Amino acid sequence: MTLLGLYLVFSAVLVSGRLLRLGNNDLLLPRDLPDDATLEPNQPHFIKMPIDHNASAQGATFNNRYWVNASYYKPGGPVFLFDSGEQDAAPLLPYYLQEFHGLSAVMRLAKRYQGLAILWEHRFYGVSLPFPVNRNTTADQWKFLTTEQALEDVVFFSNSFARSNVNCTSTNCNANDNPLSLPVHPSVTPWVWLGGSYPGIRGAHMRIRNPETIYATWASSAPVQAEVDMASYYKAAERSLTRNCSADWVAVTRFVDDTLKGTNETKKIDVKFDLLKARLSGPGGNTTGASHLTRQTANATSNVNAASILMDPLDFYQYYGFGASLLPFCNRLETRNGTQDALESGLAAPLGIDVAYRSFLTAIAETDYDSVPASPDDPVTDRSWMWQYCSEYGFYQRGDPNNTLSIETSFLSLDLFQQQCNQVFPKGLPSSPQVQHVNKYGGWKMQPSNVLFTNGEFDPWRTMGLASIEDNSPKRTPSVAIPKCNEAPSDNSSFFGITYSNMVHVSDMRVLLTPDEAHSNFQTVGFYSPVAQEPFYAGLGLFQLALDEWLPCFKGQAS
């Protein structure tokens, strides 16, 4: 969400962005669906899930939530499991199992292959809670939120379905009453995983870890390489900028960092005041929001909170990309709010840092971020994902002072991220995220069979995916040549997949056909692109071609 997305600084606590930033708390449907919306009544189902799959005897359980759509199901059809990952799954129900105002990959595949569609909720999210999630959740409770426990949940779930049911026909398979009675055990019908971002990681892991359970996977924008140091996150955003905007952003960031690290207290307060005023002001030169700002308030603001204001224009980058989120800001910056022609070199080099800095502040104030719809974060989701990245995934999106093209403040350091993790979870965390728990499945070098990997060219999470072009990555290239079923790639220099030009994060799990406010809300953007429809059709088309080759091979898998 993320977020498996952006890290946000709130006072003294750094809350990691989830890979997918989707925080609606509604249990069934988003509040902003129109009253006349006609939706299928997919009610939630629950399965009693062991809290600890490693227990030698039956122990405590919790209710894990899921939904089923059997509209297209006929006996013998595959199971298509859409994993919601690190979020409350309920807001996804109308969009992914009911296709409200668009199409979803999971339902298109269910229709094409006469399969069963499932929306799965991850432990410790939504209402699938082994324990209440809040500041009082103990280390002895958090220890059950691990990569392995969450993967084993799906194995347990799939094994709970019937192997056969002589009474089940195309007319009396009643998934709404008791879906577990359906003859869709993974030994008799193929299970296909769909997931984007963290769920994409999980799908790749499941294909490697439990090929007897998950027969094929579509992993979109999956950062399969867990790294504590993820300074690369903002490198991807910088690469998408126009060169003049990049030059000025780099120069202004360095100027602010150097000033705040310096010894001139007056200049430090000036810079903090300037930055806070820019954030509090609005379009058209409206400074009403900053009317109560004082130098005393500015002085009390931490260096990291002040310098992070320079990153405000990046708040929506992960899903909207350069054109829809950063271009308006860059245009204001480079034209000095429309008063001058833009210079190819940027402002700082020919005119000095003060001109670039003042124009940057004006661009922050003038860019109307409030017009992008958003909902409050989900505190359960925030806290649970924070435990996951603090304990196993890392992904600390730090600023790199050694990067000559850094547009991220260096005050966001690895030590700061670890400090915030330890502050929120004073007991139970390792000294550093145990990324080996994730990377044991291969990380950048994984070679699973029957998996499609898709990425956006400028997705910050591509830097941790198979399509990474970072210096320390293997630099593998995508190939649309469909591999033979059940055969792992022999060439580690490539992988089966697509990198969508100019796209960002998880652009292809759903397509919006009829614009509406609920669909466009930033908090419900996940798993589709709000700026382009092509990735959905390209990814879905290629995965269908792959399944046409892979599914017939399943006959030899049954036991």
Side-chain angles (χ1 to χ4, degrees), residues 464-535:
M464 294 291 110
L466 295 193
S468 177
I469 58 173
E470 303 312 305
D471 291 340
N472 59 332
S473 75
K475 296 184 176 65
R476 298 169 68 179
T477 56
S479 168
V480 295
I482 298 171
K484 293 182 179 179
C485 61
N486 301 317
E487 289 191 10
S490 58
D491 180 6
N492 197 39
S493 66
S494 64
F495 61 92
F496 177 48
I498 307 174
T499 299
Y500 306 116
S501 297
N502 297 315
M503 297 309 298
V504 203
H505 195 55
V506 193
S507 306
D508 51 10
M509 292 276 105
R510 176 176 136 261
V511 64
L512 174 64
L513 298 178
T514 307
D516 76 280
E517 185 176 354
H519 251 110
S520 301
N521 188 302
F522 174 62
Q523 302 289 10
T524 57
V525 160
F527 309 128
Y528 91 102
S529 169
V531 297
Q533 298 174 331
E534 292 82 0

Side-chain angles (χ1 to χ4, degrees), residues 314-394:
L314 293 160
D315 282 353
F316 304 103
Y317 174 80
Q318 178 169 296
Y319 294 113
Y320 287 90
F322 172 75
S325 68
L326 297 184
L327 182 57
F329 169 82
C330 286
N331 283 340
R332 289 185 175 89
L333 166 60
E334 296 307 320
T335 64
R336 284 170 272 182
N337 201 27
T339 64
Q340 304 289 331
D341 290 336
L343 302 175
E344 186 175 349
S345 62
L347 302 175
L351 303 177
I353 188 60
D354 187 63
V355 173
Y357 172 60
R358 292 297 164 189
S359 187
F360 198 103
L361 294 172
T362 299
I364 289 178
E366 290 293 325
T367 304
D368 185 13
Y369 301 110
D370 291 337
S371 66
V372 180
S375 300
D377 279 350
D378 177 355
V380 170
T381 295
D382 289 342
R383 192 169 292 269
S384 292
W385 177 244
M386 190 173 188
W387 171 266
Q388 288 194 260
Y389 75 74
C390 290
S391 62
E392 291 187 313
Y393 286 86

Side-chain angles (χ1 to χ4, degrees), residues 41-82:
N42 295 118
Q43 296 300 313
H45 298 279
F46 295 87
I47 183 171
K48 286 195 174 298
M49 184 69 65
I51 293 177
D52 184 7
H53 291 288
N54 298 321
S56 57
Q58 180 66 35
T61 62
F62 69 98
N63 289 326
N64 206 126
R65 184 169 58 167
Y66 66 99
W67 292 263
V68 172
N69 188 327
S71 300
Y72 304 119
Y73 175 69
K74 291 184 179 179
V79 172
F80 295 97
L81 185 146
F82 185 79

Side-chain angles (χ1 to χ4, degrees), residues 4 19-20 195-201 218-224 318-319 395 452-467 498 500 503-509 527:
L4 275 170
L19 285 178
L20 298 172
S197 199
Y198 171 55
I201 304 174
W218 179 356
S220 176
S221 295
V224 295
Q318 178 169 296
Y319 294 113
F395 295 144
L452 170 68
F453 292 94
T454 56
N455 293 274
E457 180 184 6
F458 294 116
D459 179 9
W461 294 99
R462 176 192 176 191
T463 64
M464 294 291 110
L466 295 193
I498 307 174
Y500 306 116
M503 297 309 298
V504 203
H505 195 55
V506 193
S507 306
D508 51 10
M509 292 276 105
F527 309 128

Side-chain angles (χ1 to χ4, degrees), residues 109-302:
L109 292 169
K111 183 176 183 179
R112 178 183 176 93
Y113 299 101
Q114 299 179 333
L116 188 73
I118 295 175
L119 172 61
W120 178 253
E121 186 166 77
H122 193 295
R123 62 167 55 202
F124 281 83
Y125 294 93
V127 300
S128 299
L129 303 178
F131 311 97
V133 171
N134 52 49
R135 65 181 60 195
N136 297 319
T137 308
T138 67
D140 285 339
Q141 295 169 332
W142 281 121
K143 70 181 181 182
F144 297 110
L145 177 53
T146 67
T147 294
E148 292 302 313
Q149 293 280 4
L151 292 176
E152 192 63 23
D153 286 344
V154 181
V155 177
F156 182 93
F157 174 62
S158 67
N159 285 334
S160 300
F161 282 82
R163 290 177 182 267
S164 63
N165 187 332
V166 295
N167 295 318
C168 179
T169 69
S170 61
T171 58
N172 70 8
C173 293
N174 197 338
N176 289 326
D177 289 341
N178 183 15
L180 297 180
S181 69
L182 295 177
V184 292
H185 189 275
S187 66
V188 298
T189 196
W191 280 53
V192 179
W193 182 293
L194 290 88
S197 199
Y198 171 55
I201 304 174
R202 282 164 47 76
H205 287 177
M206 283 295 292
R207 179 59 191 157
I208 296 168
R209 181 185 188 270
N210 298 98
E212 78 288 353
T213 300
I214 298 300
Y215 182 69
T217 290
W218 179 356
S220 176
S221 295
V224 295
Q225 177 76 15
E227 295 277 345
V228 175
D229 185 347
M230 195 185 174
S232 61
Y233 185 93
Y234 291 100
K235 288 182 180 179
E238 187 280 325
R239 284 193 284 262
S240 75
L241 297 174
T242 57
R243 291 303 84 194
N244 53 1
C245 188
S246 170
D248 285 331
W249 205 323
V250 169
V252 170
T253 298
R254 187 177 300 117
F255 165 74
V256 168
D257 279 7
D258 289 346
T259 300
L260 295 180
K261 291 176 182 178
T263 58
N264 189 319
E265 296 300 321
T266 300
K267 287 186 177 179
K268 289 166 68 173
I269 296 173
D270 288 343
V271 164
K272 291 180 180 181
F273 185 90
D274 290 341
L275 290 167
L276 289 167
K277 183 178 179 181
R279 173 182 278 175
L280 294 171
S281 299
N286 185 351
T287 60
T288 304
S291 59
H292 298 294
L293 177 65
T294 65
R295 292 180 64 81
Q296 183 178 7
T297 302
N299 190 35
T301 303
S302 68

